[in-house]
Coordinates of all heavy atoms in Angstrom, one line a residue:
M999 N 0.8 -1.2 0.0 CA 0.0 0.0 0.0 C 0.9 1.3 0.0 O 1.8 1.4 0.9 CB -0.9 0.1 1.2 CG -1.9 1.1 1.3 SD -3.2 0.7 2.5 CE -3.2 2.1 3.4
A1000 N 0.7 2.1 -0.9 CA 1.4 3.3 -1.1 C 0.9 4.5 -0.1 O -0.3 4.6 0.1 CB 1.4 3.9 -2.4
I1001 N 1.9 5.2 0.5 CA 1.5 6.3 1.3 C 1.5 7.5 0.5 O 2.4 7.9 -0.2 CB 2.6 6.4 2.5 CG1 2.5 5.2 3.4 CG2 2.3 7.6 3.3 CD1 3.6 5.2 4.4
E1002 N 0.4 8.3 0.6 CA 0.3 9.5 -0.2 C 0.9 10.7 0.6 O 0.6 10.8 1.7 CB -1.3 9.8 -0.4 CG -1.7 9.4 -1.7 CD -3.1 9.9 -2.0 OE1 -3.3 11.1 -2.1 OE2 -4.0 9.1 -2.2
V1003 N 1.8 11.3 -0.1 CA 2.4 12.5 0.5 C 2.0 13.7 -0.3 O 2.5 13.7 -1.5 CB 4.0 12.3 0.7 CG1 4.5 13.6 1.3 CG2 4.2 11.1 1.5
V1004 N 1.4 14.6 0.2 CA 1.0 15.8 -0.6 C 1.9 17.0 0.0 O 1.9 17.2 1.2 CB -0.5 16.2 -0.2 CG1 -0.9 17.4 -1.1 CG2 -1.3 14.9 -0.8
P1005 N 2.6 17.6 -0.9 CA 3.5 18.8 -0.5 C 2.6 19.8 0.1 O 1.5 20.1 -0.2 CB 4.2 19.2 -1.7 CG 3.8 18.2 -2.8 CD 2.7 17.3 -2.4
D1006 N 3.2 20.6 1.0 CA 2.5 21.7 1.7 C 2.1 22.7 0.7 O 0.9 23.2 0.8 CB 3.4 22.4 2.7 CG 3.6 21.6 3.9 OD1 2.7 20.6 4.2 OD2 4.6 21.8 4.7
W1007 N 2.8 23.0 -0.3 CA 2.3 24.0 -1.4 C 1.2 23.5 -2.1 O 0.2 24.3 -2.5 CB 3.5 24.3 -2.4 CG 3.9 23.2 -3.2 CD1 5.0 22.4 -3.0 CD2 3.4 22.8 -4.5 NE1 5.1 21.4 -4.0 CE2 4.1 21.8 -4.9 CE3 2.3 23.3 -5.2 CZ2 3.8 21.1 -6.1 CZ3 2.0 22.7 -6.4 CH2 2.7 21.5 -6.9
M1008 N 0.9 22.2 -2.2 CA -0.2 21.8 -2.9 C -1.5 21.7 -2.0 O -2.6 21.8 -2.5 CB 0.2 20.3 -3.5 CG -0.7 19.9 -4.6 SD 0.0 18.4 -5.3 CE -0.7 18.6 -7.0
K1009 N -1.3 21.6 -0.8 CA -2.4 21.6 0.2 C -3.1 22.9 0.2 O -4.3 23.0 0.5 CB -1.9 21.3 1.6 CG -1.4 19.9 1.7 CD -0.9 19.7 3.2 CE -0.3 18.3 3.4 NZ 0.4 18.2 4.7
N1010 N -2.5 24.0 -0.2 CA -3.0 25.3 -0.2 C -3.7 25.6 -1.5 O -4.4 26.7 -1.6 CB -2.0 26.4 0.1 CG -1.3 26.2 1.5 OD1 -2.1 26.0 2.4 ND2 0.0 26.5 1.5
L1011 N -3.7 24.9 -2.5 CA -4.3 25.0 -3.8 C -5.9 24.6 -3.7 O -6.2 23.7 -3.0 CB -3.6 24.3 -4.9 CG -2.1 24.6 -5.1 CD1 -1.6 23.7 -6.2 CD2 -2.0 26.1 -5.5
E1012 N -6.6 25.3 -4.5 CA -8.0 24.9 -4.6 C -8.2 23.7 -5.6 O -7.2 23.5 -6.4 CB -8.8 26.1 -5.1 CG -8.8 27.2 -4.2 CD -9.4 28.5 -4.7 OE1 -10.2 28.5 -5.6 OE2 -9.2 29.6 -4.1
D1013 N -9.2 23.1 -5.6 CA -9.4 21.9 -6.5 C -9.2 22.2 -8.0 O -8.7 21.5 -8.7 CB -10.8 21.2 -6.3 CG -11.0 20.5 -4.9 OD1 -9.9 20.3 -4.3 OD2 -12.1 20.3 -4.5
E1014 N -9.7 23.4 -8.4 CA -9.6 23.8 -9.8 C -8.2 24.0 -10.1 O -7.8 23.8 -11.3 CB -10.4 25.0 -10.1 CG -10.0 26.3 -9.3 CD -11.0 27.5 -9.6 OE1 -12.2 27.2 -9.6 OE2 -10.4 28.6 -9.6
D1015 N -7.3 24.5 -9.2 CA -5.9 24.6 -9.5 C -5.3 23.2 -9.7 O -4.5 23.2 -10.6 CB -5.2 25.3 -8.3 CG -5.7 26.7 -8.0 OD1 -6.0 27.4 -9.0 OD2 -5.7 27.1 -6.8
V1016 N -5.5 22.3 -8.9 CA -5.0 20.9 -9.1 C -5.5 20.4 -10.5 O -4.7 19.8 -11.2 CB -5.4 20.0 -7.9 CG1 -4.9 18.6 -8.2 CG2 -5.0 20.6 -6.6
V1017 N -6.7 20.5 -10.9 CA -7.1 20.1 -12.2 C -6.4 20.8 -13.2 O -6.0 20.1 -14.2 CB -8.7 20.4 -12.3 CG1 -9.2 20.1 -13.7 CG2 -9.5 19.5 -11.3
F1018 N -6.2 22.0 -13.1 CA -5.5 22.8 -14.1 C -4.0 22.2 -14.2 O -3.5 22.0 -15.4 CB -5.3 24.3 -13.7 CG -4.5 25.1 -14.8 CD1 -5.3 25.7 -15.9 CD2 -3.3 25.4 -14.6 CE1 -4.6 26.3 -16.9 CE2 -2.5 26.2 -15.5 CZ -3.2 26.6 -16.7
I1019 N -3.4 22.0 -13.1 CA -1.9 21.5 -13.1 C -2.0 20.1 -13.9 O -1.1 19.8 -14.7 CB -1.4 21.2 -11.7 CG1 -1.2 22.6 -11.0 CG2 -0.2 20.4 -11.5 CD1 -0.8 22.6 -9.6
K1020 N -2.9 19.2 -13.5 CA -3.0 17.9 -14.2 C -3.2 18.1 -15.7 O -2.6 17.4 -16.5 CB -4.2 17.1 -13.6 CG -4.3 15.7 -14.3 CD -5.4 14.9 -13.7 CE -5.5 13.6 -14.4 NZ -6.7 12.9 -14.0
S1021 N -4.1 19.0 -16.1 CA -4.3 19.3 -17.5 C -3.0 19.7 -18.1 O -2.7 19.3 -19.3 CB -5.4 20.3 -17.7 OG -6.6 19.8 -17.2
F1022 N -2.3 20.6 -17.4 CA -1.1 21.1 -18.0 C -0.1 20.1 -18.2 O 0.5 20.0 -19.2 CB -0.6 22.3 -17.0 CG 0.7 22.9 -17.4 CD1 0.6 23.8 -18.5 CD2 1.9 22.7 -16.8 CE1 1.8 24.5 -18.9 CE2 3.0 23.4 -17.1 CZ 2.9 24.3 -18.2
V1023 N 0.1 19.2 -17.2 CA 1.1 18.0 -17.3 C 0.7 17.2 -18.4 O 1.5 16.7 -19.2 CB 1.1 17.4 -16.0 CG1 2.0 16.1 -16.1 CG2 1.8 18.3 -14.9
M1024 N -0.6 16.8 -18.5 CA -1.1 15.9 -19.6 C -0.9 16.4 -20.9 O -0.8 15.7 -21.9 CB -2.5 15.5 -19.4 CG -2.8 14.7 -17.9 SD -1.8 13.2 -17.9 CE -2.5 12.1 -19.0
A1025 N -0.9 17.8 -21.1 CA -0.7 18.4 -22.3 C 0.7 18.7 -22.6 O 1.1 19.5 -23.5 CB -1.6 19.7 -22.4
S1026 N 1.5 18.0 -21.8 CA 3.1 18.2 -21.9 C 3.5 19.7 -21.8 O 4.4 20.1 -22.4 CB 3.5 17.7 -23.3 OG 3.2 16.3 -23.5
G1027 N 2.8 20.5 -21.0 CA 3.2 21.8 -20.7 C 2.8 22.9 -21.9 O 3.3 23.9 -21.8
S1028 N 2.0 22.3 -22.8 CA 1.6 23.3 -23.9 C 0.5 24.2 -23.5 O -0.7 23.8 -23.3 CB 1.2 22.3 -25.1 OG 0.7 23.2 -26.1
L1029 N 0.8 25.5 -23.4 CA -0.2 26.4 -23.1 C -1.3 26.5 -24.2 O -2.5 26.8 -24.0 CB 0.3 27.8 -22.7 CG 1.2 27.9 -21.5 CD1 1.7 29.3 -21.3 CD2 0.5 27.5 -20.3
K1030 N -0.8 26.3 -25.5 CA -1.7 26.4 -26.6 C -2.7 25.2 -26.5 O -3.9 25.4 -26.8 CB -0.9 26.2 -27.9 CG -0.3 27.5 -28.3 CD 0.5 27.3 -29.7 CE 1.1 28.6 -30.1 NZ 1.7 28.4 -31.4
E1031 N -2.3 24.0 -26.1 CA -3.2 22.9 -26.0 C -4.1 23.2 -24.8 O -5.3 22.9 -24.9 CB -2.3 21.7 -25.7 CG -3.2 20.4 -25.6 CD -4.1 20.1 -26.8 OE1 -3.6 20.3 -27.9 OE2 -5.1 19.5 -26.5
I1032 N -3.7 23.7 -23.8 CA -4.6 24.1 -22.6 C -5.7 25.1 -23.1 O -6.8 24.9 -22.8 CB -3.9 24.5 -21.4 CG1 -2.9 23.5 -20.8 CG2 -4.8 25.0 -20.3 CD1 -3.5 22.2 -20.4
A1033 N -5.3 26.1 -23.8 CA -6.2 27.1 -24.3 C -7.2 26.4 -25.2 O -8.5 26.8 -25.0 CB -5.4 28.1 -25.0
K1034 N -6.9 25.4 -25.9 CA -7.8 24.8 -26.8 C -8.8 23.9 -26.0 O -10.0 23.9 -26.2 CB -7.0 23.8 -27.8 CG -7.7 23.5 -29.0 CD -7.0 22.5 -29.9 CE -5.7 23.1 -30.4 NZ -4.9 22.2 -31.3
Q1035 N -8.3 23.3 -25.0 CA -9.1 22.4 -24.1 C -10.1 23.2 -23.3 O -11.2 22.9 -23.2 CB -8.3 21.6 -23.1 CG -7.5 20.4 -23.7 CD -6.6 19.8 -22.6 OE1 -6.7 20.0 -21.4 NE2 -5.6 19.0 -23.1
Y1036 N -9.7 24.4 -22.8 CA -10.5 25.3 -22.0 C -11.4 26.2 -22.9 O -12.2 27.0 -22.3 CB -9.7 26.1 -21.0 CG -9.3 25.3 -19.7 CD1 -8.3 24.4 -19.8 CD2 -10.0 25.3 -18.6 CE1 -7.8 23.6 -18.7 CE2 -9.6 24.6 -17.4 CZ -8.6 23.7 -17.5 OH -8.1 23.0 -16.4
E1037 N -11.1 26.2 -24.2 CA -11.7 27.1 -25.0 C -11.6 28.5 -24.7 O -12.6 29.3 -24.6 CB -13.2 26.6 -25.3 CG -13.3 25.3 -25.9 CD -14.8 24.9 -26.0 OE1 -15.8 25.5 -25.5 OE2 -15.1 23.9 -26.6
V1038 N -10.4 28.9 -24.4 CA -10.0 30.3 -24.0 C -8.8 30.7 -24.8 O -8.1 29.9 -25.5 CB -9.8 30.5 -22.5 CG1 -11.0 30.2 -21.7 CG2 -8.6 29.7 -22.0
S1039 N -8.5 32.0 -24.8 CA -7.3 32.4 -25.4 C -5.9 32.1 -24.7 O -5.9 31.8 -23.6 CB -7.3 34.0 -25.7 OG -7.2 34.6 -24.4
Y1040 N -4.9 32.1 -25.5 CA -3.5 31.8 -24.9 C -3.3 32.7 -23.8 O -2.8 32.3 -22.7 CB -2.5 31.8 -26.0 CG -1.1 31.7 -25.5 CD1 -0.5 30.4 -25.5 CD2 -0.3 32.8 -25.1 CE1 0.8 30.2 -25.1 CE2 1.0 32.6 -24.6 CZ 1.5 31.3 -24.6 OH 2.7 31.1 -24.1
P1041 N -3.4 34.1 -24.0 CA -3.2 35.0 -22.9 C -3.9 34.7 -21.6 O -3.5 34.9 -20.4 CB -3.5 36.4 -23.4 CG -3.4 36.2 -24.9 CD -3.8 34.8 -25.2
T1042 N -5.2 34.2 -21.8 CA -6.0 33.8 -20.6 C -5.3 32.7 -19.8 O -5.3 32.7 -18.6 CB -7.4 33.5 -21.1 OG1 -8.1 34.6 -21.6 CG2 -8.3 33.1 -19.8
V1043 N -4.9 31.7 -20.6 CA -4.2 30.6 -19.9 C -3.0 31.1 -19.2 O -2.6 30.6 -18.2 CB -3.9 29.5 -20.9 CG1 -3.1 28.3 -20.3 CG2 -5.2 28.9 -21.5
R1044 N -2.2 32.0 -19.9 CA -0.9 32.5 -19.4 C -1.2 33.2 -18.1 O -0.5 32.9 -17.0 CB -0.3 33.5 -20.4 CG 1.0 34.0 -19.9 CD 2.1 32.9 -20.1 NE 2.7 32.8 -18.7 CZ 3.6 31.8 -18.5 NH1 4.2 31.1 -19.3 NH2 4.1 31.8 -17.2
I1045 N -2.3 34.0 -18.0 CA -2.6 34.6 -16.7 C -3.0 33.7 -15.7 O -2.5 33.8 -14.5 CB -3.7 35.7 -17.0 CG1 -3.3 36.8 -17.8 CG2 -4.4 36.2 -15.7 CD1 -4.4 37.7 -18.4
R1046 N -3.8 32.6 -16.1 CA -4.1 31.6 -15.1 C -2.8 30.9 -14.4 O -2.8 30.6 -13.3 CB -5.0 30.6 -15.8 CG -5.5 29.5 -14.9 CD -6.5 29.8 -14.0 NE -7.1 28.6 -13.3 CZ -6.6 28.2 -12.2 NH1 -5.7 28.8 -11.5 NH2 -7.1 27.2 -11.6
L1047 N -1.9 30.6 -15.4 CA -0.7 29.9 -15.0 C 0.1 30.9 -14.0 O 0.7 30.4 -13.0 CB 0.1 29.5 -16.1 CG 1.5 28.7 -15.8 CD1 1.2 27.5 -15.0 CD2 2.1 28.4 -17.2
D1048 N 0.2 32.2 -14.3 CA 1.0 33.1 -13.6 C 0.3 33.2 -12.2 O 1.0 33.4 -11.2 CB 1.0 34.5 -14.3 CG 1.9 34.5 -15.5 OD1 2.8 33.6 -15.7 OD2 1.8 35.4 -16.4
S1049 N -1.0 33.3 -12.2 CA -1.7 33.3 -10.8 C -1.4 32.0 -10.0 O -1.1 32.2 -8.8 CB -3.2 33.3 -11.1 OG -3.8 33.4 -9.9
L1050 N -1.3 30.9 -10.7 CA -1.0 29.6 -10.0 C 0.4 29.6 -9.5 O 0.7 29.3 -8.3 CB -1.2 28.5 -11.0 CG -1.1 27.1 -10.4 CD1 -2.0 26.8 -9.2 CD2 -1.5 26.1 -11.4
I1051 N 1.3 30.1 -10.2 CA 2.7 30.3 -9.8 C 2.8 31.1 -8.7 O 3.5 30.9 -7.7 CB 3.6 30.8 -11.0 CG1 3.8 29.8 -12.1 CG2 5.0 31.2 -10.6 CD1 4.4 30.3 -13.4
Q1052 N 2.1 32.3 -8.6 CA 2.1 33.2 -7.4 C 1.6 32.5 -6.2 O 2.2 32.6 -5.1 CB 1.2 34.5 -7.8 CG 1.8 35.5 -8.4 CD 0.9 36.8 -8.4 OE1 -0.3 36.6 -8.6 NE2 1.4 37.9 -8.0
K1053 N 0.6 31.7 -6.3 CA 0.0 31.0 -5.1 C 1.0 30.0 -4.6 O 1.2 29.9 -3.4 CB -1.2 30.1 -5.6 CG -2.5 31.0 -5.7 CD -3.6 30.0 -6.1 CE -4.9 30.9 -6.3 NZ -6.0 30.0 -6.6
I1054 N 1.7 29.3 -5.5 CA 2.8 28.4 -5.1 C 3.9 29.1 -4.3 O 4.4 28.8 -3.3 CB 3.2 27.5 -6.2 CG1 2.1 26.6 -6.6 CG2 4.4 26.7 -5.8 CD1 2.4 25.8 -8.0
Q1055 N 4.4 30.2 -5.0 CA 5.5 30.9 -4.4 C 5.0 31.5 -3.0 O 5.9 31.5 -2.0 CB 5.9 32.0 -5.3 CG 6.7 31.6 -6.6 CD 6.9 32.7 -7.5 OE1 6.1 33.7 -7.7 NE2 7.9 32.5 -8.4
L1056 N 3.9 32.0 -2.9 CA 3.5 32.6 -1.6 C 3.4 31.5 -0.5 O 3.8 31.7 0.6 CB 2.1 33.2 -1.8 CG 2.0 34.5 -2.5 CD1 0.5 35.0 -2.7 CD2 2.8 35.6 -1.5
S1057 N 2.9 30.3 -1.0 CA 2.8 29.2 0.0 C 4.3 28.9 0.5 O 4.5 28.7 1.7 CB 2.3 28.1 -0.7 OG 2.2 26.9 0.2
E1058 N 5.2 28.8 -0.3 CA 6.6 28.6 0.1 C 7.2 29.6 0.9 O 7.9 29.3 1.8 CB 7.4 28.2 -1.2 CG 7.1 26.9 -1.8 CD 7.9 26.5 -3.0 OE1 8.6 27.4 -3.6 OE2 7.8 25.3 -3.4
Q1059 N 6.9 30.8 0.6 CA 7.5 31.9 1.3 C 7.0 32.1 2.8 O 7.5 32.7 3.6 CB 7.3 33.2 0.6 CG 8.1 33.4 -0.7 CD 7.6 34.6 -1.6 OE1 6.7 35.3 -1.2 NE2 8.2 34.8 -2.7
T1060 N 5.7 31.7 2.9 CA 5.0 31.9 4.2 C 4.7 30.7 5.0 O 3.8 30.8 5.9 CB 3.8 32.7 4.0 OG1 2.9 32.0 3.0 CG2 4.1 34.1 3.3
E1061 N 5.4 29.6 4.6 CA 4.9 28.4 5.4 C 5.1 28.5 6.9 O 4.5 27.7 7.6 CB 5.5 27.2 4.7 CG 7.0 27.1 4.7 CD 7.5 25.8 3.9 OE1 7.0 25.5 2.9 OE2 8.6 25.3 4.3
N1062 N 6.0 29.2 7.4 CA 6.3 29.5 8.8 C 5.3 30.5 9.4 O 5.2 30.6 10.6 CB 7.7 29.9 9.1 CG 8.7 28.8 8.7 OD1 8.4 27.6 8.8 ND2 9.8 29.2 8.4
E1063 N 4.5 31.2 8.6 CA 3.5 32.1 9.1 C 2.2 31.8 8.5 O 1.8 32.4 7.5 CB 4.0 33.6 8.7 CG 5.2 34.1 9.5 CD 4.9 34.4 11.0 OE1 3.6 34.4 11.3 OE2 5.7 34.6 11.7
P1064 N 1.5 30.9 9.1 CA 0.2 30.4 8.4 C -0.8 31.6 8.3 O -1.5 31.7 7.3 CB -0.3 29.4 9.4 CG 0.7 29.1 10.3 CD 1.8 30.1 10.2
Y1065 N -0.9 32.6 9.3 CA -1.7 33.6 9.1 C -1.5 34.5 8.0 O -2.5 34.9 7.2 CB -1.8 34.4 10.5 CG -2.6 35.6 10.4 CD1 -4.0 35.5 10.6 CD2 -2.2 36.9 10.1 CE1 -5.0 36.6 10.6 CE2 -3.0 38.1 10.1 CZ -4.4 37.9 10.3 OH -5.2 39.0 10.2
I1066 N -0.3 34.8 7.8 CA 0.1 35.6 6.6 C -0.2 34.8 5.3 O -0.6 35.4 4.3 CB 1.7 36.1 6.7 CG1 1.7 37.0 7.9 CG2 2.1 36.7 5.5 CD1 3.3 37.5 8.2
A1067 N 0.1 33.6 5.3 CA -0.2 32.8 4.1 C -1.7 32.9 3.8 O -2.0 33.0 2.6 CB 0.2 31.3 4.4
I1068 N -2.6 32.7 4.7 CA -4.0 32.8 4.6 C -4.4 34.2 4.0 O -5.2 34.3 2.9 CB -4.8 32.6 5.8 CG1 -4.7 31.1 6.3 CG2 -6.3 33.0 5.7 CD1 -5.2 30.8 7.7
I1069 N -3.9 35.2 4.5 CA -4.1 36.6 4.0 C -3.7 36.7 2.4 O -4.4 37.3 1.7 CB -3.5 37.7 5.0 CG1 -4.0 37.5 6.3 CG2 -3.8 39.0 4.3 CD1 -5.5 37.8 6.4
K1070 N -2.4 36.3 2.2 CA -1.9 36.5 1.0 C -2.8 35.5 -0.1 O -3.0 35.9 -1.1 CB -0.4 36.0 0.9 CG 0.3 37.1 1.5 CD 1.9 36.8 1.5 CE 2.7 37.8 2.0 NZ 4.2 37.6 1.9
R1071 N -3.2 34.4 0.3 CA -3.9 33.5 -0.5 C -5.3 34.2 -0.9 O -5.7 34.1 -2.0 CB -4.1 32.2 0.2 CG -4.2 31.0 -0.7 CD -4.2 29.6 -0.1 NE -4.7 29.5 1.2 CZ -4.0 29.3 2.3 NH1 -2.7 29.2 2.3 NH2 -4.6 29.2 3.5
L1072 N -5.9 34.8 0.2 CA -7.2 35.5 -0.1 C -7.0 36.6 -1.2 O -7.9 36.8 -1.9 CB -7.7 36.0 1.2 CG -8.2 35.0 2.2 CD1 -8.6 35.6 3.6 CD2 -9.5 34.3 1.7
A1073 N -5.9 37.3 -1.0 CA -5.6 38.5 -1.9 C -5.3 38.0 -3.3 O -5.9 38.5 -4.2 CB -4.4 39.3 -1.4
V1074 N -4.6 36.8 -3.5 CA -4.3 36.3 -4.8 C -5.5 35.8 -5.3 O -5.8 35.9 -6.6 CB -3.2 35.2 -4.7 CG1 -3.1 34.4 -5.9 CG2 -1.9 36.0 -4.3
S1075 N -6.4 35.3 -4.5 CA -7.7 34.7 -5.1 C -8.8 35.8 -5.3 O -10.0 35.4 -5.6 CB -8.2 33.5 -4.1 OG -7.2 32.6 -4.0
D1076 N -8.4 37.0 -5.1 CA -9.3 38.1 -5.3 C -10.6 38.1 -4.3 O -11.6 38.6 -4.5 CB -9.9 38.2 -6.7 CG -8.8 38.7 -7.6 OD1 -8.0 39.5 -7.2 OD2 -8.9 38.3 -8.8
K1077 N -10.3 37.5 -3.1 CA -11.3 37.4 -2.1 C -11.2 38.6 -1.1 O -12.2 39.0 -0.5 CB -11.2 36.1 -1.3 CG -11.5 34.9 -2.2 CD -11.7 33.6 -1.5 CE -12.2 32.6 -2.6 NZ -11.7 31.3 -2.3
I1078 N -10.1 39.2 -1.1 CA -9.9 40.5 -0.4 C -8.9 41.3 -1.3 O -8.1 40.8 -2.1 CB -9.3 40.4 1.0 CG1 -7.9 39.8 1.1 CG2 -10.3 39.7 1.9 CD1 -7.2 39.9 2.4
D1079 N -9.0 42.7 -1.1 CA -8.1 43.4 -2.1 C -6.7 43.4 -1.5 O -6.5 43.2 -0.2 CB -8.7 44.9 -2.3 CG -8.9 45.6 -1.0 OD1 -7.9 46.3 -0.6 OD2 -10.0 45.6 -0.5
F1080 N -5.7 43.9 -2.2 CA -4.3 43.9 -1.7 C -4.0 44.9 -0.7 O -3.3 44.6 0.2 CB -3.3 44.1 -3.0 CG -3.1 42.8 -3.8 CD1 -3.8 42.6 -4.9 CD2 -2.3 41.9 -3.3 CE1 -3.6 41.5 -5.7 CE2 -2.1 40.7 -4.1 CZ -2.7 40.5 -5.3
D1081 N -4.8 46.0 -0.8 CA -4.6 47.1 0.3 C -5.1 46.5 1.6 O -4.3 46.7 2.6 CB -5.3 48.4 0.0 CG -4.7 49.1 -1.3 OD1 -3.5 48.9 -1.5 OD2 -5.5 49.9 -2.0
T1082 N -6.2 45.8 1.7 CA -6.6 45.2 2.9 C -5.6 44.2 3.4 O -5.3 44.1 4.6 CB -8.0 44.6 2.7 OG1 -8.9 45.6 2.2 CG2 -8.5 44.0 4.0
A1083 N -5.1 43.3 2.5 CA -4.2 42.4 3.0 C -2.9 43.0 3.5 O -2.4 42.5 4.5 CB -3.7 41.5 1.6
K1084 N -2.4 44.1 2.9 CA -1.3 44.8 3.5 C -1.5 45.3 4.9 O -0.7 45.1 5.7 CB -0.9 45.9 2.5 CG -0.3 45.5 1.3 CD 0.1 46.8 0.4 CE 0.5 46.4 -1.0 NZ 0.7 47.6 -1.8
V1085 N -2.7 45.8 5.1 CA -3.1 46.3 6.4 C -3.1 45.2 7.4 O -2.5 45.3 8.5 CB -4.4 47.2 6.4 CG1 -4.9 47.4 7.8 CG2 -4.3 48.5 5.6
L1086 N -3.8 44.1 7.1 CA -3.8 43.0 8.0 C -2.5 42.4 8.3 O -2.2 42.1 9.5 CB -4.7 41.9 7.4 CG -6.3 42.2 7.3 CD1 -6.9 41.2 6.4 CD2 -6.9 42.4 8.6
I1087 N -1.7 42.3 7.3 CA -0.3 41.8 7.6 C 0.6 42.7 8.5 O 1.2 42.3 9.4 CB 0.4 41.4 6.2 CG1 -0.3 40.2 5.6 CG2 1.9 41.1 6.4 CD1 0.2 39.9 4.1
S1088 N 0.4 44.0 8.1 CA 1.2 45.0 8.9 C 0.8 45.0 10.3 O 1.6 45.0 11.3 CB 1.0 46.4 8.3 OG 1.5 47.3 9.1
E1089 N -0.5 44.9 10.6 CA -1.0 44.9 12.0 C -0.7 43.6 12.7 O -0.3 43.7 13.9 CB -2.6 45.1 12.0 CG -3.0 46.5 11.6 CD -2.5 47.6 12.4 OE1 -2.5 47.5 13.7 OE2 -2.0 48.6 11.8
Y1090 N -0.7 42.6 12.0 CA -0.2 41.2 12.6 C 1.2 41.3 13.0 O 1.5 40.9 14.0 CB -0.6 40.1 11.6 CG 0.0 38.8 12.1 CD1 -0.6 38.0 13.1 CD2 1.2 38.3 11.5 CE1 -0.2 36.9 13.5 CE2 1.7 37.0 11.8 CZ 1.0 36.3 12.9 OH 1.5 35.1 13.3
K1091 N 2.1 41.9 12.1 CA 3.5 41.9 12.4 C 3.7 42.8 13.6 O 4.6 42.6 14.4 CB 4.3 42.4 11.2 CG 4.4 41.3 10.1 CD 5.2 41.9 8.9 CE 5.4 40.7 8.0 NZ 6.2 41.1 6.8
K1092 N 2.9 43.9 13.8 CA 3.1 44.8 14.9 C 2.7 44.0 16.1 O 3.3 44.1 17.2 CB 2.1 46.0 14.9 CG 2.5 47.0 13.9 CD 1.6 48.2 13.8 CE 1.8 49.2 12.7 NZ 0.8 50.2 12.6
I1093 N 1.8 43.2 16.2 CA 1.3 42.3 17.3 C 2.3 41.3 17.7 O 2.6 41.2 18.9 CB -0.2 41.5 17.0 CG1 -1.2 42.7 16.9 CG2 -0.4 40.6 18.1 CD1 -2.5 42.1 16.4
I1094 N 3.0 40.7 16.7 CA 4.0 39.6 17.1 C 5.4 40.3 17.3 O 6.3 39.6 17.5 CB 4.0 38.6 16.0 CG1 4.4 39.0 14.6 CG2 2.7 37.8 16.0 CD1 4.7 38.0 13.7
G1095 N 5.4 41.6 17.0 CA 6.7 42.3 17.3 C 7.7 42.2 16.2 O 8.9 42.3 16.5
E1096 N 7.3 42.2 14.9 CA 8.3 42.2 13.9 C 8.5 43.6 13.4 O 7.7 44.4 13.3 CB 7.8 41.3 12.6 CG 8.3 39.9 12.8 CD 7.9 39.0 11.6 OE1 8.0 39.6 10.5 OE2 7.7 37.9 11.7

C-alpha cells in the first residue's frame, strides 16, 4: 500500500488549481493545448498559470507564518483586495513584534 504524501504548497491550492496542473502536465506543458481544451485564449491561460505560480510561491515563502499565508492567499484569489491584505499583515506583524 502506497503512502500519499502531498506537499505543503499543494495543500493550499483549490481543487480547480489541481485540475489545471493535471491538464497542464497531460498536455506536456503546452499552453496552446490548454487554451484549446478550456476554449479560451492563450493570454487567458498564461494569466491563469501566472496566478497559480504566485500561489505556489506565496505558499513556500510563508509556510512558517500560516496567518500571513492565509491573507496572501485570499488576496491572490481576489477574495480581499491587496490594500486590505497589506493592512492585515502589517497589523499582525506589529502584534507579534516584527
Side-chain angles (χ1 to χ4, degrees):
M999 182 162 133
I1001 297 174
E1002 265 189 61
V1003 178
V1004 178
D1006 287 338
W1007 64 265
M1008 201 167 204
K1009 291 177 188 173
N1010 295 322
L1011 299 178
E1012 296 172 18
D1013 291 342
E1014 65 188 36
D1015 295 329
V1016 176
V1017 170
F1018 182 85
I1019 291 170
K1020 181 180 178 185
S1021 298
F1022 183 71
V1023 171
M1024 297 303 289
S1026 298
S1028 170
L1029 294 180
K1030 284 184 180 181
E1031 180 61 33
I1032 296 298
K1034 202 181 301 182
Q1035 287 177 19
Y1036 281 81
E1037 298 179 350
V1038 296
S1039 68
Y1040 177 91
T1042 300
V1043 173
R1044 183 73 241 180
I1045 289 168
R1046 176 79 171 91
L1047 181 60
D1048 290 343
S1049 174
L1050 185 54
I1051 290 168
Q1052 272 188 316
K1053 283 182 182 182
I1054 293 169
Q1055 288 172 334
L1056 285 173
S1057 176
E1058 289 182 343
Q1059 291 169 359
T1060 58
E1061 57 187 41
N1062 293 331
E1063 288 290 345
Y1065 178 78
I1066 293 174
I1068 291 168
I1069 298 302
K1070 287 183 176 181
R1071 213 170 31 251
L1072 289 171
V1074 169
S1075 301
D1076 289 327
K1077 294 187 176 151
I1078 63 172
D1079 61 85
F1080 281 101
D1081 290 335
T1082 302
K1084 287 179 188 177
V1085 169
L1086 290 171
I1087 291 169
S1088 175
E1089 292 302 315
Y1090 174 74
K1091 286 183 175 182
K1092 286 179 189 174
I1093 291 169
I1094 63 169
E1096 273 191 29

